[in-house]
Amino acid sequence: MSEPSLLLDGITHVYVTERGASLAVDDITFAIHPGEFVSLVGPSGCGKTTLLSIIAGLIKPTLGDIRVAGKEAGKPSPRIGYMLQQDYLFPWRTILDNVMLGLELHGKADDTRRKWILHLLDELGLLPVRDSYPHQLSGGMRQRAALVRTLATEPDLLLLDEPFSALDYQTRLQLEELILDILKAHKKTALLVTHDISEAVAMSDRVLVMERGPGRIRHEIRIPDPIRAAGPIEARELTGFHPLFHEIWRELEDPDRKEGRP
Ligand SMILES: Nc1ncnc2c1ncn2[C@@H]1O[C@H](COP(=O)(O)OP(=O)(O)OP(=O)(O)O)[C@@H](O)[C@H]1O
Ligand SMILES: [Mg+2]
């Protein structure tokens, strides 16, 4: 079997502030395999963003190991793309200049990459607005631009922290569909944080449910093939969809419920 794209082993993180130390995530261990799409759901404050920041190399965990494609990770790297909830586009740069930024920072802004970016902008319907400024675009267009910027450096692993939360429902569904198509076409591995259970079930191969205080993984749900094979909009119509939704809902709703204990 090939190396996992991402391997977390015993990740534990304690935040230390002037008010004391708090255990944010405790002994998180899981792997994500090449091409897999995994979602992380859990109550606010359970450590989802902390975990993504640790994987992206922005926070050094107190304990534990991270491996990306078999290699020790823990430093920011072009192999890992991190898309935050806010789009963080620079208002004074055009869309094209914004999405080129990652390549410029990594010194990779050559002709081949430029063509790849124009191709991505085209795939996401942004070619006509490439010379516009972020404020001239809708929220959905800005999110798509942020996605192009994340994909620009051709990362093997994408970390998406509630990338659709600012969008209206219809745009959100369209973008879910589009992103999944692009990730599958380019065989990317992804870890998505979302508060939307439907989104997690509709997009993922697996859903990890976290609990709070301290943040731990309490449950893992494998999404069955028919739902995985369907697009995110179609998946929501399938008979197997609602039982999965409710299973995750119950896990999130009842903080005392433990696996094997009804
Ligand atoms: N820089 C920090 N310093 C101290 N404590 C922090 C810091 N960042 C996060 N925390 C704490 O760590 C815990 C986990 O926070 P985190 O942002 O990872 O949660 P989350 O699951 O992403 O929540 P949400 O769903 O609201 O985005 C929370 O209790 C939070 O208050
Ligand atoms: Mg968060």
Side-chain angles (χ1 to χ4, degrees), residues 168-222:
D168 68 75
Y169 190 61
Q170 194 157 8
T171 310
R172 186 177 185 130
L173 291 189
Q174 283 166 350
L175 214 52
E176 282 179 11
E177 193 103 21
L178 199 63
I179 286 184
L180 215 48
D181 283 350
I182 289 187
L183 296 188
K184 295 279 177 231
H186 299 290
K187 297 194 170 51
K188 300 293 180 195
T189 308
L191 179 59
L192 169 80
V193 165
T194 179
H195 279 114
D196 182 335
I197 302 174
S198 300
E199 187 168 281
V201 176
M203 292 189 79
S204 312
D205 299 311
R206 256 186 311 144
V207 180
L208 304 174
V209 182
M210 284 183 74
E211 64 189 6
R212 182 173 45 196
R216 291 198 180 113
I217 299 204
R218 71 183 295 172
H219 197 56
E220 178 191 307
I221 292 165
R222 281 182 184 278

Side-chain angles (χ1 to χ4, degrees), residues 78 82 84 87-110 113-114 116-117 121 130 134 145-154:
Y82 190 3
L84 303 152
D87 56 48
Y88 289 115
L89 296 173
F90 292 114
W92 60 86
R93 287 190 146 220
T94 64
I95 294 304
L96 183 61
D97 289 345
N98 260 293
V99 301
M100 289 296 290
L101 191 65
L103 290 182
E104 288 170 15
L105 291 177
H106 293 294
K108 287 183 173 172
D110 57 20
R113 304 286 175 139
R114 223 183 148 78
W116 159 246
I117 291 216
L121 285 172
R130 65 184 184 277
L147 181 71
V148 173
R149 189 176 57 188
T150 309
L151 289 168
T153 53
E154 298 189 63

Side-chain angles (χ1 to χ4, degrees), residues 95-162:
I95 294 304
L96 183 61
D97 289 345
N98 260 293
V99 301
M100 289 296 290
L101 191 65
L103 290 182
E104 288 170 15
L105 291 177
H106 293 294
K108 287 183 173 172
D110 57 20
D111 270 1
T112 319
R113 304 286 175 139
R114 223 183 148 78
K115 277 199 190 116
W116 159 246
I117 291 216
L118 290 172
H119 167 73
L120 282 175
L121 285 172
D122 192 23
E123 270 189 276
L124 285 157
L126 293 172
L127 215 43
V129 295
R130 65 184 184 277
D131 296 321
S132 304
Y133 289 87
H135 75 271
Q136 297 172 299
L137 271 56
S138 70
M141 289 166 124
R142 284 200 298 268
Q143 292 270 3
R144 278 181 273 156
L147 181 71
V148 173
R149 189 176 57 188
T150 309
L151 289 168
T153 53
E154 298 189 63
D156 304 318
L157 174 67
L158 275 131
L159 307 172
L160 308 166
D161 197 350
E162 301 188 49

Side-chain angles (χ1 to χ4, degrees), residues 209 218-219 246-254 257:
V209 182
R218 71 183 295 172
H219 197 56
H246 287 292
E247 188 180 345
I248 298 173
W249 176 268
R250 280 195 305 274
E251 285 294 337
L252 291 172
E253 188 184 42
D254 181 357
R257 187 171 170 267

